[in-house]
Amino acid sequence: MDFGEPEHIGMLRESIRRMLDRHATREQMAKWDEEDKVPRALMEHIRDLGICGMTVPESFGGTGRDVLGTMVAVEELSRRSMVIATLYLMNSCYGSMNILASGSEEQKQRLLPQLADGQLLFAYGLSEPDVGSDLASVRTRAERRGDKVIINGTKRWCSGAEIADYIYALVRSGEPDARYKNLSLVLIPTNAKGIELTHIPAMGARGLNTNDVSLVDVEISIDDVVGGEDGWNNGWTRLAGPALEVEKLEVAAMALGIAAQAVDDAWEYSQQRKQFGSRICSVQSIRHMLAEVQTKLAAARLMLYRGCWLADNNLPCSAETSMAKMYVCELGLEIVLTCQKIMGAYGYAKGFDMERYVRDMLLMPIIGGSTAIQKNNIANRMGLPKS
């Protein structure tokens, strides 16, 4: 059992940190957070790192599957902002991983080289106004008309749709009583006629808008049904495939990155801030809080990286990825709130990064499958009887 970090992972961390210090400084991130807008052009600098191909085989122009490397990239980008990490996820995970796992051969040939080069961004279109965790209840309808598909409905929480090239959407392609059997996944070009976006303001994740997406007689080709003809009415098996396991790790990696930076900031602050003539790092209660968050951070990292190792080695990991998602996100929230306490009023005031970490971390136990859903997954996957 080797707990050492591979050399290429250390080099990856350094290259990402250098890029962020040049093109996404803390001051720029604060401005983008205030304006609620991160430029898509930042993706060009992520692309230049050469990390977009870590979820694409060499045969399609990538560098080969590297789940740990991908999650470390998410972790490091999230240290500066979870929004910057989401830009990367929209390419390498929402796009590449899903097309590789579920796309037709034609879709792989057409899209994966562009994704590996960092040229395309996908936004998720899974939830709806009345549909959250119960995705089999989606109502957005898709109707076949020859070699065309006509889509009508509304999708909710489509983060990044305004800068994405495609919306990766789950639609009802048959009668609703069949639930799981009459679902399809489709790629909806965001420049298609009949699409209208409505921004949903939120307290966190500012800079990459989440949206309602209205779809009125939106026309796509049958070639944009994920999996082609074989994917029609067969979307559920593609949705609940290998990409879903890694998606849980993606959110955990974001949570780990935010928590790690919060710990670093609180650690440094405790050595600079003086009260009653001494640095507050000399106060036993502060020292204990800092020791606790460092320990929790180390435990969270081990949980996440174990999930990555299982996924990289194609081992069963449904329960373990749910454990990682639940544990790292809940523990990360504890860590950030403790770090906020250490910084006192400076951790609460706008203009300080800690306030943003708290806002963003509150989202982590919710997205990518809530904590309650992950608990259900763990119990079910580990064979706990329901009656």
Side-chain angles (χ1 to χ4, degrees), residues 117-307:
D117 194 39
Q119 296 178 33
L120 297 179
L121 299 180
F122 283 28
Y124 272 147
L126 304 178
S127 299
E128 297 182 357
D130 294 321
V131 176
S133 299
D134 183 17
L135 292 177
S137 295
V138 296
R139 298 177 182 176
T140 297
R141 296 299 300 268
E143 178 186 351
R144 290 282 297 268
R145 297 181 187 173
D147 62 351
K148 303 294 183 184
V149 176
I150 309 302
I151 302 171
N152 286 277
T154 301
K155 289 295 177 179
R156 177 155 286 177
W157 314 124
C158 296
S159 297
E162 75 281 358
I163 62 170
D165 300 288
Y166 290 97
I167 298 172
Y168 188 85
L170 184 67
V171 297
R172 176 70 57 194
S173 48
E175 294 304 315
D177 56 349
R179 280 176 64 81
Y180 302 102
K181 294 182 180 179
N182 285 345
L183 296 169
S184 298
L185 287 163
V186 294
L187 301 175
I188 304 175
T190 52
N191 61 0
K193 293 181 180 179
I195 295 179
E196 182 178 348
L197 304 182
T198 302
H199 176 209
I200 305 173
M203 68 182 293
R206 292 175 56 82
L208 196 65
N209 293 341
T210 192
N211 306 274
D212 272 349
V213 179
S214 173
L215 304 161
V216 179
D217 292 332
V218 175
E219 180 181 299
I220 66 171
S221 167
I222 189 64
D223 292 335
D224 284 326
V225 174
V226 177
E229 286 284 354
D230 291 341
W232 187 252
N233 283 339
N234 195 23
W236 187 258
T237 57
R238 287 168 163 78
L239 180 68
L244 181 64
E245 302 308 328
V246 178
E247 183 186 353
K248 292 179 283 186
L249 298 177
E250 296 160 18
V251 183
M254 283 197 288
L256 180 65
I258 298 169
Q261 192 59 56
V263 170
D264 283 355
D265 287 5
W267 191 269
E268 182 178 356
Y269 175 85
S270 75
Q271 297 173 65
Q272 296 175 347
R273 178 70 167 169
K274 287 187 177 181
Q275 291 289 281
F276 305 104
S278 299
R279 294 185 297 175
I280 66 170
C281 63
S282 66
V283 178
Q284 187 178 59
S285 62
I286 299 294
R287 295 175 71 83
H288 285 182
M289 284 193 282
L290 288 168
E292 287 173 1
V293 295
Q294 289 283 13
T295 303
K296 290 177 179 179
L297 190 67
R301 182 172 285 112
L302 287 172
M303 178 73 82
L304 172 63
Y305 290 3
R306 178 172 180 262

Side-chain angles (χ1 to χ4, degrees), residues 19 38-49 51-52 77 84-92 115 117-121 163:
M19 183 277 290
V38 169
R40 173 167 171 156
L42 185 59
M43 189 63 201
E44 293 298 315
H45 301 299
I46 296 174
R47 174 189 176 191
D48 290 343
L49 292 171
I51 61 176
C52 295
L77 292 168
I84 297 176
T86 302
L87 270 178
Y88 174 65
L89 289 173
M90 290 172 67
N91 167 264
S92 296
L115 287 161
D117 194 39
Q119 296 178 33
L120 297 179
L121 299 180
I163 62 170

Side-chain angles (χ1 to χ4, degrees), residues 9-23:
I9 295 296
M11 295 172 64
L12 175 64
R13 291 187 193 278
E14 287 302 315
S15 64
I16 291 174
R17 291 177 186 182
R18 287 196 300 268
M19 183 277 290
L20 292 171
D21 287 341
R22 287 195 300 269
H23 302 293

Side-chain angles (χ1 to χ4, degrees), residues 245 306-307 309-311 313-321:
E245 302 308 328
R306 178 172 180 262
W309 180 83
L310 291 169
N313 286 278
N314 297 308
L315 295 170
C317 59
S318 180
E320 289 81 1
T321 53

